[in-house]
Amino acid sequence: MTTPTDGTTGRYLVLLDEDSAAAGVRTMQRVAGLHTASTADLIGPGAAGLLGHSAGIVLHELGVAVVTAAPDQADALGRACAEPGPVTMVEPERTVHAYAAPTVQPGETADETAFTWGLRAVGADTSTATGIGVRVAVLDTGMTLDHPDFADRTLVTASFVDGEEVDDGHGHGTHCIGTACGPRAPESGPGYGVAPEAEIFAGKVLSDAGSGTDGGILSGISWAVSNHCAVVSMSLGAATRAGDPHSRIFEEIARRALRRGTLVIAAAGNESRRSAGHVAPVGHPANCPSIMAVGAIDEHRAIADFSCGSVDPDGAVDIAGPGVGVYSSWPLPERYHTISGTSMATPHVAGVAALLAQHHGARAWELWARLGQSALRLPLPSADVGAGLVRAP
Amino acid sequence: MDRAADRKVVVLISEPALHDVEDVVSRLKQAGMAVDAVQAVLGTVTGSAPADVVAGLRAVPGVLDVELQRDLGTR
């Protein structure tokens, strides 16, 4: 077999139903003629010989098989996924690399003396709106509580993670809050906050390790709605597969939140590898139609390599924001950090939503419409950037 | 009961039942769900239940939908 050049290895990952490894081995043999060995049997000196005659191996504790399959065998496995049985998912095995720190090539727009490129791109550097009187909830890893740039700000906080205080032991939440609601004129360095007078509601729904569950997120959204936050910013999610339905429950609660005046905005996701020809679908929960899904562009107004796209009819990217090489606040001692992701694009949109909410008195669906109406149209597919680049009033 | 075999679930309460969330929560507990939190303003209830109980929660009066909880992370 030749080595593929699209970032995959030519092998396939086969996901088996929980606790169905043995049935999975039988099914793979029956539908695709693939003989696989199981790690459950790989004890003792016979292991190498066993593997030598197999097309692959079943990692029984994970319920995943890694197999070498010809295209027709891979197709047969794909068909088996659609039928009842232990084989639930097949995908090409990818070559993975540790992420290098994102490097930003200095360009003509890269002057960050006074403001970050993101603030300038969305027009927050010249906006007279500040978000004053508007409540913005950022549901993430929490907020560092001793950052000098937020010393004179009122922070309303709550943790929905068992056993963890709201104080941000990760950094991601502090960075997102900085972009949405941080200062435009900090004591040192460029201005980086879109809505510097918005009221900050920092809800911790992701642990200091950066993970959480639907339950904590729903509790965070509920807290934000109860506190009359006009905007909920969620730089979080879970990857989906093309064709996956969106969560009907998150769709319904997003509608209920809108009826109470709260707009939920979420990151589209970072699973694309556009340079390798791969566009991944919008993740959960941003793929719900009534949650605004945010894609990421770079300082040259090109779509970010990682930004998820509108692969499914109802999992659409709605709008785009700056998400590559974004400078914002970080827990001490670093104080500032520059990172990339649709996570960074999302609080740019949330901050502009606060400005629009102040400027027009808009809430809920009207606020959604204002965001789309005022977005700067880009010469990029709407499938990638929706209405375009979010713009401050 | 082996709680390790439990599934984390989220239950959506139907619009008409939103005025008596407490009653729906009581019925969910009777049906075998361990309730972690009630997001009354959204009309959701989160918690866990044995795998063989999960499907039956959908039949509890006032329940519109039931989903298994997902794990999420920073993006």
Side-chain angles (χ1 to χ4, degrees):
Chain A
M1 183 177 290
T2 55
T3 304
T5 55
D6 63 351
T8 62
T9 65
R11 289 187 295 267
Y12 293 84
L13 304 181
V14 183
L15 181 67
L16 307 172
D17 243 1
E18 261 185 313
D19 305 323
S20 298
V25 167
R26 290 193 296 273
T27 300
M28 287 188 286
Q29 168 138 23
R30 179 172 56 79
V31 303
L34 291 167
H35 302 268
T36 51
S38 172
T39 47
D41 305 321
L42 291 186
I43 299 161
L50 183 61
L51 263 183
H53 296 97
S54 301
I57 188 157
V58 177
L59 310 172
H60 75 284
E61 284 180 330
L62 299 178
V64 172
V66 185
V67 301
T68 301
D72 59 322
Q73 291 173 307
D75 288 347
L77 289 173
R79 286 192 297 276
C81 299
E83 291 159 11
V87 176
T88 58
M89 198 196 303
V90 178
E91 60 183 49
E93 185 187 38
R94 285 168 290 265
T95 306
V96 296
H97 308 276
Y99 289 131
T103 51
V104 182
Q105 299 298 323
E108 55 184 305
T109 60
D111 175 12
E112 295 202 324
T113 311
F115 299 99
T116 59
W117 79 263
L119 253 63
R120 295 169 61 198
V122 305
D125 56 334
T126 56
S127 177
T128 54
T130 61
I132 192 163
V134 179
R135 294 181 172 187
V136 176
V138 179
L139 305 182
D140 208 285
T141 58
M143 173 68 188
T144 193
L145 300 175
D146 57 356
H147 199 291
D149 288 359
F150 295 84
D152 60 348
R153 299 291 293 278
T154 303
L155 284 174
V156 181
T157 65
S159 176
F160 304 97
V161 177
D162 285 344
E164 292 191 19
E165 299 296 316
V166 76
D167 198 37
D168 183 8
H170 184 286
H172 193 268
T174 299
H175 197 276
C176 292
I177 289 170
T179 298
C181 306
R184 284 186 195 157
E187 268 184 35
S188 64
Y192 57 87
V194 174
E197 293 192 306
E199 296 178 34
I200 302 168
F201 283 68
K204 186 177 186 122
V205 301
L206 301 177
S207 69
D208 287 338
S211 62
T213 62
D214 280 341
I217 289 149
L218 288 169
S219 289
I221 296 172
S222 184
W223 171 73
V225 171
S226 298
N227 281 288
H228 310 291
C229 292
V231 182
V232 171
S233 185
M234 302 200 303
S235 292
L236 52 81
T240 59
R241 295 164 296 164
D244 279 355
H246 65 262
S247 163
R248 288 182 298 184
I249 291 182
F250 272 75
E251 171 60 15
E252 177 60 23
I253 65 100
R255 293 181 193 179
R256 290 179 182 178
L258 283 161
R259 283 205 287 277
R260 288 175 166 264
T262 300
L263 172 63
V264 182
I265 301 170
N270 304 335
E271 281 72 33
S272 291
R273 294 292 175 267
R274 292 166 179 273
S275 55
H278 175 62
V279 178
V282 174
H284 163 80
N287 62 346
C288 294
S290 299
I291 293 178
M292 179 170 279
V294 182
I297 62 165
D298 67 18
E299 61 177 320
H300 305 294
R301 295 184 180 173
I303 189 73
D305 189 59
F306 52 76
S307 191
C308 285
S310 310
V311 173
D312 294 318
D314 62 352
V317 177
D318 296 300
I319 203 162
V324 179
V326 175
Y327 169 98
S328 185
S329 44
W330 199 258
L332 306 181
E334 288 86 351
R335 193 184 288 204
Y336 303 107
H337 196 23
T338 299
I339 52 178
S340 301
T342 51
S343 273
M344 283 65 247
T346 301
H348 278 102
V349 176
V352 170
L355 303 184
L356 288 165
Q358 176 200 348
H359 189 75
H360 297 288
R363 295 292 187 277
W365 286 115
E366 186 194 342
L367 186 52
W368 181 303
R370 291 284 185 189
L371 283 161
Q373 175 222 24
S374 59
L376 180 72
R377 272 53 184 167
L378 299 174
L380 295 173
S382 64
D384 292 335
V385 298
L389 173 61
V390 70
R391 285 290 293 182
Chain B
M1 194 187 300
D2 177 14
R3 308 304 298 186
D6 286 2
R7 303 298 177 95
K8 289 181 79 81
V9 295
V10 48
V11 174
L12 180 68
I13 298 173
S14 70
E15 204 87 26
L18 284 178
H19 60 272
D20 47 287
V21 168
E22 293 295 314
D23 291 351
V24 180
V25 170
S26 299
R27 289 195 287 270
L28 287 168
K29 288 176 178 171
Q30 281 168 17
M33 177 175 170
V35 173
D36 290 339
V38 180
Q39 297 84 21
V41 69
L42 299 178
T44 50
V45 184
T46 52
S48 53
D52 58 349
V53 165
V54 172
L57 296 178
R58 208 178 288 266
V60 170
V63 170
L64 188 62
D65 215 335
V66 178
E67 291 180 6
L68 297 179
Q69 289 194 37
R70 304 159 195 77
D71 295 320
L72 300 93
T74 57
R75 308 309 291 267

